[in-house]
């Protein structure tokens, strides 16, 4: 039986699969079908020549929910909230994205104002009723919602994190009057204080639910029609998988579903390569994703913003994404400067050289003209060089440069955007880039990896086997995961330990039961870890702190406080003994361990020529003759000096001058970059800014 991972991106849909007994592996890449992304999933399985009936698990990462939110392409949803809080999701926290820009505008609210209703009710912060829910008013609102025809309703009452009683009453009324609508409660979505993040996350869940229910229904119907009998599992933003039934009801857990697979592969590489500090990067056709993996674990955030002032307060892998990929379009701004992205050609029409109707030059076109891409895209189809050259020449005329100068300028600008994204992730969390290796994933990743890594003075780049389908690979090694959290505030030394232990017992049982309901039957293989969101008394932000196993006792508190100080100093560069630490919320993570993959042999094709040929490649304003290597034929004894090109089935690695590469025993290409004194001085300044 096959375990199959599929990642649906903005341009390509990637597949990686391994046979559970033999370890046989296969990969495939097809263009994403934007009008119905489930079609591309079936096309990828067909291209991999896998029989649907032979699939035991299909692990699926998707950007469907994210795309629906960014494009606001979902059916209208409604929000019911407490009197006085109708505009909370639009007002936000009254922050300004650009302090001195008088023309900035807020993103469109997730739910339009005409569909936001208020009702008289009030709970206090202790969960006691101050004003009962106005039943008559609630019924009138339910009738208005029924007449409006909306498909989903979010209910978010102030202080419902302390008690969801009134939200549940409102749900009962809605179910009676308009039984066909999807209903979500903020007290069940994320029962934490700070109403803005809680309301927005609940609104996101409601808005995306009709979209994801339809997508899951279509996908499962198509799979079953084609003979699928296995289990469909969906990648979660927190780094695990969940059942398709759970995914239908929790679209907010899928906003980083696709990139989460890449983080899982980076975690897998930690165990296989010995690199404990990895910057995971993934360059696709549309976006560039970057995150940190330390000691085999991706860092988690609860401060993810879909857009400015649109916070999602569920635990998510801390992945930063920008619009910079192979399909990013080059253009000239009002000041006459060359810019690249974030607009992308995607898969439709795609880069100009794809011959699918694209007219604006992209990063892919630039790489082709500079000799860095095989004109046949490694035998997949013939790229149109004259069309790419004509489009680039038009752009070049506008800026007064030659065609090649413009193409190389696009690459440099695109790589600098990527480098700034890497810098933002590392420095914002107090990390020194020189302590990390740069893991390059995605079909376009290794084309640019050395340039980006050198810009950040990261000394090593690793390009693992199947880097072109890395997120799909990572999906196949992920475990079932359930995160549950509950609000609990108290200074650590004043905490009621009986209450804390009772909360943890309740959360652990709920998490364990949630895994069982998703079809996980191996109870003995469920592991549960405990965490707390903590801060200094008086602070307005928290950090995640791991708590010891077993009951929390008085003797545990000193160690918990020390761990909090340590985490706070790592994240922000400072800690304090003058302020008391406090608990803000308690959470558990339950992991249902999936079977380990068989030892995956990354065999090289021994009877294949190592060298495919030579071609001229443009570096730093001049053509240089480069050897083109077959990545599938490289072995551990092979060492390559840059400049050179290494081509794989689904990716291409560019080794610029002053680099050299070799393979380790698992087939990972390790590239060492010669650093410069200028970069060393710049990174020393970056480290000082990070508090190191």
């Amino acid at each position: 039986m096959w375990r199959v991972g599929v990642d649906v991106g903005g341009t390509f849909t990637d597949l990686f699969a391994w046979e559970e007994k033999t370890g046989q592996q296969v990969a495939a890449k097809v263009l994403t079908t934007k009008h119905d992304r489930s079609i591309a999933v079936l096309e990828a399985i067909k291209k991999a020549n896998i029989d649907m009936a032979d699939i035991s698990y299909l692990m699926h990462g998707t950007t469907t929910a994210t795309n629906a939110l960014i494009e606001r392409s979902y059916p209208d949803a409604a929000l019911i909230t407490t009197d006085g809080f109708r505009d909370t999701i639009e007002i936000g926290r009254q922050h300004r994205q650009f302090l001195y820009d008088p023309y900035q505008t807020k993103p469109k609210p997730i739910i339009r104002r005409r569909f936001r209703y208020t009702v008289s009710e009030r709970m206090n912060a202790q969960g006691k009723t101050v004003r009962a829910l106005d039943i008559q008013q609630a019924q009138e609102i339910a009738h208005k919602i029924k007449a409006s025809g909306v498909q989903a309703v979010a209910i978010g009452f102030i202080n419902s994190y302390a008690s969801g009683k009134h939200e549940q009453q409102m749900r009962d009324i809605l179910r009676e009057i308009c039984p066909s609508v999807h209903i979500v409660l903020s007290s069940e979505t994320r029962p934490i204080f700070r109403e803005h993040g809680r309301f927005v996350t609940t609104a996101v869940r409601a808005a995306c639910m009709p979209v994801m229910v339809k997508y899951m229904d279509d996908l499962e119907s198509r799979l079953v029609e084609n003979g699928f009998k296995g289990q469909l599992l969906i990648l979660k933003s927190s780094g695990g998988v969940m059942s398709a039934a759970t995914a239908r009801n929790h679209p907010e857990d899928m906003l980083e579903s696709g990139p989460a697979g890449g983080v899982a592969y980076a975690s897998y590489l930690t165990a296989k390569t010995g690199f404990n500090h990895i910057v995971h990067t993934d360059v696709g056709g549309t976006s560039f994703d970057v995150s940190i993996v330390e000691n085999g674990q991706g860092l988690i955030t609860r401060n993810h913003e879909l857009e400015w002032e649109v916070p999602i307060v569920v635990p998510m892998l801390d992945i930063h994404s920008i619009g910079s990929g192979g399909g990013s379009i080059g253009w000239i701004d009002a000041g006459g400067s060359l810019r690249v992205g974030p607009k992308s050609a995607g898969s439709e029409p795609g880069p100009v050289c794809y011959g699918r109707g694209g007219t604006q030059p992209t990063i892919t076109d630039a790489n082709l003209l500079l000799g860095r891409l095989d004109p046949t895209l490694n035998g997949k189809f013939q790229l149109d060089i004259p069309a790419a050259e004509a489009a680039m020449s038009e752009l070049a005329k506008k800026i007064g440069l030659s065609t090649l100068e413009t193409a190389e300028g696009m690459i440099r600008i695109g790589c600098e955007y990527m480098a700034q994204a890497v810098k933002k992730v590392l420095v914002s969390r107090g990390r020194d880039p020189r302590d990390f290796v740069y893991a390059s994933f995605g079909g376009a990743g290794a084309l640019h990896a050395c340039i980006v890594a050198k810009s950040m003075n990261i000394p090593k780049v690793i390009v693992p086997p199947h880097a072109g389908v890395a997120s799909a690979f990572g999906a196949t090694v992920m475990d079932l995961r359930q995160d549950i959290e509950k609000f609990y505030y108290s200074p650590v030394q004043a905490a009621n330990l009986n209450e804390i232990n009772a909360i943890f017992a309740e959360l652990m049982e709920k998490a364990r039961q949630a895994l069982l309901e998703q079809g996980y039957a191996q109870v003995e293989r469920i592991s549960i870890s405990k965490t707390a969101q903590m801060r200094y008394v008086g602070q307005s932000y928290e950090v995640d702190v791991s708590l010891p196993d077993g009951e929390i006792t008085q003797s545990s508190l000193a160690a918990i406080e020390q761990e909090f100080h340590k985490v706070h100093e790592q994240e922000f560069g400072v800690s304090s003994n003058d302020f008391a630490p406090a608990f803000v919320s308690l959470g558990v993570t339950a992991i249902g361990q999936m079977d380990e993959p068989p030892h995956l042999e990354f065999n090289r094709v021994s009877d294949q020529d190592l060298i495919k040929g030579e071609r001229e490649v443009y570096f730093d304003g001049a053509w240089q003759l480069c050897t083109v290597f077959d990545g599938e034929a490289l072995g551990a004894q092979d060492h390559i000096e840059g400049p050179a090109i290494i081509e794989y089935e689904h990716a291409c690695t560019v080794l610029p001058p002053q680099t050299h590469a070799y393979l380790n025993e698992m087939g990972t290409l390790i590239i060492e970059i010669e650093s410069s004194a200028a970069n060393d001085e710049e990174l020393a300044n970056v480290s000082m800014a990070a508090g190191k």
Side-chain angles (χ1 to χ4, degrees), residues 285-287 322-331 339-346 349 359-363 410:
T286 306
S287 63
I322 62 171
S324 186
S328 294
I329 293 170
W331 54 285
R339 304 287 293 276
V340 179
K343 186 178 179 181
S344 172
T359 58
Q360 296 174 286
T362 67
I363 289 288
M410 283 183 60

Side-chain angles (χ1 to χ4, degrees), residues 74-78 145 148-153 180-183 206 209-211:
Y74 48 78
D76 278 318
I145 288 173
S148 72
V150 299
Q151 298 181 31
V153 180
S180 62
V181 301
H182 302 286
I183 305 169
M209 196 173 286
V211 175

Side-chain angles (χ1 to χ4, degrees), residues 403-483:
T403 301
L404 290 176
E405 286 172 335
T406 304
E408 189 168 40
M410 283 183 60
I411 299 298
R412 288 180 174 177
I413 291 168
C415 287
E416 188 55 34
Y417 287 152
M418 297 178 197
Q420 291 304 309
V422 172
K423 179 178 178 180
K424 179 176 181 179
V425 167
L426 289 172
V427 174
S428 67
R429 302 203 67 157
R431 270 65 171 182
D432 186 334
R434 292 169 294 188
D435 295 335
F436 287 79
V437 299
Y438 185 105
S440 177
F441 299 158
L447 284 166
H448 313 101
C450 292
I451 303 172
V452 179
K454 188 170 185 177
S455 177
M456 289 302 299
N457 217 26
I458 298 174
K460 277 190 176 71
V461 172
I462 58 175
V463 184
H466 305 297
V469 291
S471 290
F473 182 109
T476 67
V477 296
M478 297 176 82
D479 296 319
L480 215 65
R481 177 173 177 139
Q482 183 68 42
D483 300 280

Side-chain angles (χ1 to χ4, degrees), residues 187-192 236 238 246 250 253 302 313-315 481-487 503-518 528-533 544 585-591:
S187 56
E188 294 178 357
T189 300
R190 213 70 200 161
I192 57 174
K236 298 182 68 170
S238 58
T246 302
H250 292 276
D253 283 332
R302 297 165 193 269
V313 294
V314 298
R481 177 173 177 139
Q482 183 68 42
D483 300 280
I484 302 182
E485 188 175 12
K486 187 170 183 177
F487 176 78
I503 290 173
F504 273 127
E506 175 192 352
L507 295 180
M508 290 168 73
E509 182 55 33
K510 283 184 177 180
R512 187 181 292 107
Q513 192 60 38
L515 293 187
L516 297 177
E517 289 173 358
Q518 293 179 65
I528 301 181
S529 58
K530 297 185 292 188
T531 59
Q533 283 246 287
D544 273 342
S585 67
L586 308 175
V588 301
T589 297
I591 300 292

Side-chain angles (χ1 to χ4, degrees), residues 361-690:
T362 67
I363 289 288
T364 297
D365 298 306
N367 277 310
L368 176 65
L369 295 176
L370 297 174
R372 302 178 187 185
L373 271 182
D374 175 12
T376 69
L377 209 60
N378 208 21
K380 291 182 177 65
F381 57 87
Q382 183 67 44
L383 299 178
D384 191 340
I385 296 177
E389 188 170 13
M392 191 67 69
S393 296
E394 285 297 315
L395 185 67
K397 289 176 187 176
K398 296 177 183 178
I399 198 172
L401 296 175
S402 71
T403 301
L404 290 176
E405 286 172 335
T406 304
E408 189 168 40
M410 283 183 60
I411 299 298
R412 288 180 174 177
I413 291 168
C415 287
E416 188 55 34
Y417 287 152
M418 297 178 197
Q420 291 304 309
V422 172
K423 179 178 178 180
K424 179 176 181 179
V425 167
L426 289 172
V427 174
S428 67
R429 302 203 67 157
R431 270 65 171 182
D432 186 334
R434 292 169 294 188
D435 295 335
F436 287 79
V437 299
Y438 185 105
S440 177
F441 299 158
L447 284 166
H448 313 101
C450 292
I451 303 172
V452 179
K454 188 170 185 177
S455 177
M456 289 302 299
N457 217 26
I458 298 174
K460 277 190 176 71
V461 172
I462 58 175
V463 184
H466 305 297
V469 291
S471 290
F473 182 109
T476 67
V477 296
M478 297 176 82
D479 296 319
L480 215 65
R481 177 173 177 139
Q482 183 68 42
D483 300 280
I484 302 182
E485 188 175 12
K486 187 170 183 177
F487 176 78
Y488 176 82
Y489 178 81
S490 171
V492 172
Q493 292 300 328
N496 184 325
L497 298 185
N498 289 332
E499 187 176 356
I500 286 178
N501 287 316
I503 290 173
F504 273 127
E506 175 192 352
L507 295 180
M508 290 168 73
E509 182 55 33
K510 283 184 177 180
R512 187 181 292 107
Q513 192 60 38
L515 293 187
L516 297 177
E517 289 173 358
Q518 293 179 65
Y520 190 81
Q522 298 171 304
V523 181
E524 70 283 356
R525 298 186 63 185
I526 294 177
S527 61
I528 301 181
S529 58
K530 297 185 292 188
T531 59
Q533 283 246 287
M534 297 180 65
R535 66 184 187 187
Y536 291 110
V537 172
Q539 270 186 322
S540 59
Y541 55 86
E542 298 81 42
V543 295
D544 273 342
V545 179
S546 296
L547 300 188
D549 295 332
E551 285 200 346
I552 305 299
T553 64
Q554 196 66 39
S555 60
S556 307
L557 298 183
I560 291 172
E561 288 186 330
Q562 282 302 113
E563 182 66 15
F564 165 70
H565 292 310
K566 175 184 172 183
V567 173
H568 194 282
E569 184 167 7
Q570 183 181 42
E571 294 292 323
F572 302 108
V574 295
S575 61
S576 174
N577 293 320
D578 297 328
F579 298 94
F583 296 116
V584 175
S585 67
L586 308 175
V588 301
T589 297
I591 300 292
Q593 297 175 6
M594 303 289 285
D595 292 338
E596 286 286 327
H599 181 63
L600 300 180
E601 294 287 350
F602 295 96
N603 295 323
R604 296 303 163 189
V605 183
S606 57
D607 61 347
Q608 201 163 308
D609 289 337
L610 177 62
I611 296 176
K612 298 177 71 173
E614 294 180 328
R615 70 170 175 259
E616 295 280 346
V617 182
Y618 199 80
F619 289 111
D620 298 322
W623 290 101
Q624 298 190 44
L625 185 63
C626 294
T627 303
V628 180
F629 294 89
D630 186 339
E632 314 300 336
L634 288 175
Q637 75 280 4
D638 297 311
H639 289 252
I640 302 173
E641 295 291 330
I645 303 293
I646 304 172
E647 294 180 344
Y648 299 90
E649 183 181 1
H650 299 297
C652 176
T653 299
V654 172
L655 296 184
Q658 298 182 309
T659 62
H660 62 273
Y662 62 92
L663 263 71
N664 69 4
E665 278 131 13
M666 74 165 284
T668 296
L669 184 71
I670 299 174
I671 306 169
E672 295 184 341
I673 301 172
E674 297 178 20
S675 64
S676 66
N679 274 3
D680 287 338
E681 182 178 350
E682 181 183 347
L683 262 292
N685 295 333
V686 169
S687 298
M688 291 175 63

Side-chain angles (χ1 to χ4, degrees), residues 67 125 171 315 450:
N67 293 337
R171 176 172 59 189
C450 292

Side-chain angles (χ1 to χ4, degrees), residues 111-379:
I111 295 177
R112 293 194 287 175
R113 196 170 195 270
R114 72 181 67 176
F115 296 121
R116 303 200 296 257
Y117 305 93
T118 63
V119 64
S120 177
E121 71 81 37
R122 192 72 175 202
M123 287 279 182
N124 66 17
Q126 288 71 46
K128 304 296 184 184
T129 300
V130 175
R131 186 182 306 121
L133 176 70
D134 188 321
I135 301 299
Q136 182 178 348
Q137 192 178 12
Q139 290 172 336
E140 291 171 357
I141 290 171
H143 284 292
K144 289 179 182 178
I145 288 173
K146 183 178 182 180
S148 72
V150 299
Q151 298 181 31
V153 180
I155 304 174
F157 291 158
I158 194 69
N159 293 336
S160 65
Y161 64 87
S163 171
K165 178 183 174 182
H166 288 173
E167 289 189 351
Q168 293 161 10
Q169 285 181 281
M170 186 71 238
R171 176 172 59 189
D172 292 341
I173 292 169
L174 282 170
R175 281 177 173 171
E176 182 179 345
I177 296 173
C178 33
S180 62
V181 301
H182 302 286
I183 305 169
V184 297
L185 311 185
S186 75
S187 56
E188 294 178 357
T189 300
R190 213 70 200 161
I192 57 174
F193 79 142
R194 297 197 185 104
E195 65 279 358
H196 179 233
R198 177 162 49 88
F199 287 3
V200 169
T201 304
T202 308
V204 163
R205 181 180 173 189
C208 288
M209 196 173 286
V211 175
M212 293 315 299
V213 167
K214 183 180 186 306
Y215 178 76
M216 291 296 169
D217 286 347
D218 290 346
L219 177 59
E220 286 193 303
S221 295
R222 284 198 170 95
L223 290 171
V224 171
E225 286 170 7
N226 285 272
F228 179 67
K229 300 176 183 177
Q231 187 172 1
L232 176 63
L233 298 175
I234 308 300
L235 273 63
K236 298 182 68 170
S237 304
S238 58
V241 292
M242 57 184 164
S243 69
T246 302
R248 281 181 172 84
N249 295 319
H250 292 276
E252 76 280 6
D253 283 332
M254 290 186 285
L255 299 183
E256 292 289 354
S257 173
V263 179
Y265 192 8
S267 300
Y268 178 84
L269 284 176
T270 295
K272 300 299 179 182
T273 64
F275 293 125
N276 290 326
H277 292 76
I278 292 176
V279 181
H280 146 258
T281 65
D282 195 330
V283 186
T286 306
S287 63
F288 173 75
D289 304 319
V290 56
S291 64
I292 297 172
V293 174
E294 289 183 331
N295 301 315
Q297 299 295 323
L299 299 190
I300 296 290
T301 181
R302 297 165 193 269
N303 299 309
H304 178 85
E305 284 192 324
L306 179 74
E307 297 171 345
W308 178 252
E309 286 285 75
V310 185
I312 310 296
V313 294
V314 298
M316 300 175 69
L317 290 165
D318 194 1
I319 301 171
H320 180 53
S321 301
I322 62 171
S324 186
S328 294
I329 293 170
W331 54 285
I332 308 299
D333 67 14
S337 297
L338 178 63
R339 304 287 293 276
V340 179
K343 186 178 179 181
S344 172
S347 61
E348 297 174 8
V352 177
C353 61
Y354 280 16
R356 296 167 60 89
T359 58
Q360 296 174 286
T362 67
I363 289 288
T364 297
D365 298 306
N367 277 310
L368 176 65
L369 295 176
L370 297 174
R372 302 178 187 185
L373 271 182
D374 175 12
T376 69
L377 209 60
N378 208 21

